[in-house]
Amino acid sequence: MKRVVITGAGTINALGVGVPATLEAMREGRCGIGELDIRDVDRLSIQIGGQVRDFQPESVFNRQQMTLYDRFTQFTLVAAKEAIGQAGLEFVGELAARTGVVLGTAGGGVSTWDDNYRSVYEDGKNRVHPFVVPKLMNNAAASHVSMEYNLKGPSFTVSTACASSNHAMAQAFQMVRAGMSPAMITGGSESMLCFGGVKAWEGLRVMSRDACRPFSANRNGMVQGEGAGVFVFEEYEHARARGAEILAEVIGFAMTSDASDIVMPSKQGAARAIAGAMADAGVNADAVGYINAHGTGTAANDKTECAAVADALGHHADDVMISSTKSMHGHLIGGTGAVELLACIMALRDGVIAPTIGYEEPDPECALDVVPNEAREAQVQVALSNAFAFGGLNAVLALRKV
């Protein structure tokens, strides 16, 4: 099997535009969650979110592109430009023919759905724009990235709720590892912070009105975010031959299904995914230095995840650092694993562990080292990134320092 490395990374999220700004915010423990600036926010019970602010798509895309790009696609293209630019790849000839795109999203063009439902039901219009369907479809972002960069290999979208990005990146990893593609563009994006998107999530009664406090005893729910994370996964020898800078190596993954409940997580399913990722990577539990937790800030998720980590890592669970960056950028639903992978890269490459901010009260059911409130310097060789989704779908990635 081929070795797989990451040679490019890009993002836009509530912490900033670009990887440097995002990592700086993570180091500082800065919170990107604030009051929502969206239409009809006064009709919402939940009025906070990890919103991307000061983003002017008109300055990035032309008028024709704007008619085709939902906000989640815009985010993806911004992040992809940074990632591919850093990787320094030019997709021509055989490389273009074999390189593809696998992205994750849960909602796709939610903003487009929301806008056009308003037009039809509230404004009474009888027609919508002819590009509404290609704008809202879940594969729109993947398709536009492939067209923008002449990527003619396997390209598709994975939609598995909150695990979408991790599932997508796992597929890209597997394709490069198997020799199917020399490189893949992968990650995920989401933009559900519109009236309809937030109103739908309100119905679940899992949302916080004031802050995201993962693992803290006084946590009261999750907070939505938006944005994208995109990466270039590349075969190691291919990257080395062209002198590419390597950010980290992807060394394993595992995917499991709880097969038990549509919304309540299972300790057993999550633990099997964590253990499976370590087994696929060929590492023991004591090699893992950092875990980026799913860490949503809900009672059910946090205590189940801590129990799963304890089961999978055994006695080493007490020594591993585990943090939730959702406390800073919010829960990007289908795009969340992609932004969170940046924290794993920072841990491996820079020796900086992103904190879990908002931590106020210890919870005996979450009695692990959750890196509370302040970033920490530590040398880490192996990191895991957890994603556990509604529907009982679990996906865990393992990365190694290069």
Side-chain angles (χ1 to χ4, degrees), residues 242-311:
R242 64 186 189 86
E245 180 183 12
I246 294 173
L247 305 180
E249 182 177 2
V250 188
I251 56 173
F253 80 101
M255 302 176 283
T256 66
S257 176
D258 296 346
S260 60
D261 192 277
I262 196 67
V263 293
M264 292 300 293
S266 159
K267 179 187 73 170
Q268 291 78 15
R272 286 192 300 113
I274 296 168
M278 292 189 294
D280 187 52
V283 299
N284 296 323
D286 57 8
V288 178
Y290 172 63
I291 299 176
N292 185 278
H294 191 57
T296 62
T298 65
N301 174 90
D302 290 2
K303 66 182 183 181
T304 300
E305 183 168 16
C306 287
V309 169
D311 273 15

Side-chain angles (χ1 to χ4, degrees), residues 13-15 31-38 41 44-53 71 192-194 198 207-212 222-227 326-332:
N13 61 82
L15 296 178
C31 186
I33 295 169
E35 293 184 4
L36 289 173
D37 180 16
I38 59 175
V41 68
L44 294 170
S45 299
I46 304 300
Q47 299 184 358
I48 63 168
Q51 191 171 11
V52 174
R53 303 180 190 277
R71 191 169 169 88
M192 289 188 178
L193 293 181
C194 57
V198 177
M207 306 281 284
S208 172
R209 295 173 184 263
D210 58 356
C212 181
M222 58 168 274
V223 176
Q224 279 197 74
E226 65 176 358
K326 287 183 178 71
S327 58
M328 292 182 272
H329 52 65
H331 190 344
L332 280 69

Side-chain angles (χ1 to χ4, degrees), residues 39-340:
R39 184 176 176 181
D40 287 338
V41 68
D42 57 306
R43 293 180 56 201
L44 294 170
S45 299
I46 304 300
Q47 299 184 358
I48 63 168
Q51 191 171 11
V52 174
R53 303 180 190 277
D54 302 321
F55 172 58
Q56 303 297 327
E58 298 83 0
S59 67
V60 181
F61 307 110
N62 62 41
R63 183 179 299 178
Q64 183 179 6
Q65 291 171 324
M66 290 292 291
T67 64
L68 284 169
Y69 298 166
D70 181 88
R71 191 169 169 88
F72 95 104
T73 297
Q74 295 169 13
F75 289 155
T76 306
L77 288 166
V78 169
K81 182 177 181 180
E82 182 183 15
I84 294 171
Q86 181 181 29
L89 285 169
E90 183 178 358
F91 297 104
V92 295
E94 183 69 10
L95 181 62
R98 296 179 60 205
T99 300
V101 186
V102 186
L103 297 173
T105 187
V110 173
S111 295
T112 298
W113 282 108
D114 196 53
D115 290 343
N116 284 276
Y117 278 141
R118 284 184 184 276
S119 294
V120 173
Y121 294 121
E122 185 174 319
D123 300 337
K125 293 183 178 180
N126 291 323
R127 297 179 62 185
V128 297
H129 195 282
F131 289 160
V132 165
V133 169
K135 190 174 182 179
L136 62 80
M137 61 191 187
N138 282 23
N139 64 298
S143 295
H144 283 297
V145 170
S146 72
M147 290 184 284
E148 180 71 18
Y149 294 100
N150 191 38
L151 306 174
K152 300 178 180 179
S155 297
F156 57 95
T157 295
V158 176
S159 187
T160 51
C162 308
S164 299
S165 287
N166 273 24
H167 274 121
M169 292 186 290
Q171 295 305 306
F173 166 61
Q174 193 169 29
M175 289 178 185
V176 177
R177 183 167 66 169
M180 180 185 296
S181 301
M184 290 291 293
I185 311 305
T186 188
S189 63
E190 204 77 89
S191 180
M192 289 188 178
L193 293 181
C194 57
F195 177 79
V198 177
K199 181 59 71 175
W201 275 90
E202 282 182 358
L204 286 165
R205 299 181 182 179
V206 296
M207 306 281 284
S208 172
R209 295 173 184 263
D210 58 356
C212 181
R213 304 183 188 89
F215 308 120
S216 185
N218 64 336
R219 63 192 178 275
N220 59 5
M222 58 168 274
V223 176
Q224 279 197 74
E226 65 176 358
V230 175
F231 302 90
V232 177
F233 282 15
E234 188 174 352
E235 194 270 315
Y236 172 72
E237 294 297 341
H238 187 273
R240 193 176 70 164
R242 64 186 189 86
E245 180 183 12
I246 294 173
L247 305 180
E249 182 177 2
V250 188
I251 56 173
F253 80 101
M255 302 176 283
T256 66
S257 176
D258 296 346
S260 60
D261 192 277
I262 196 67
V263 293
M264 292 300 293
S266 159
K267 179 187 73 170
Q268 291 78 15
R272 286 192 300 113
I274 296 168
M278 292 189 294
D280 187 52
V283 299
N284 296 323
D286 57 8
V288 178
Y290 172 63
I291 299 176
N292 185 278
H294 191 57
T296 62
T298 65
N301 174 90
D302 290 2
K303 66 182 183 181
T304 300
E305 183 168 16
C306 287
V309 169
D311 273 15
L313 272 67
H315 64 85
H316 183 61
D318 293 331
D319 301 320
V320 73
M321 294 170 287
I322 176 170
S323 70
S324 171
T325 56
K326 287 183 178 71
S327 58
M328 292 182 272
H329 52 65
H331 190 344
L332 280 69
I333 318 300
T336 202
V339 173
E340 290 164 357

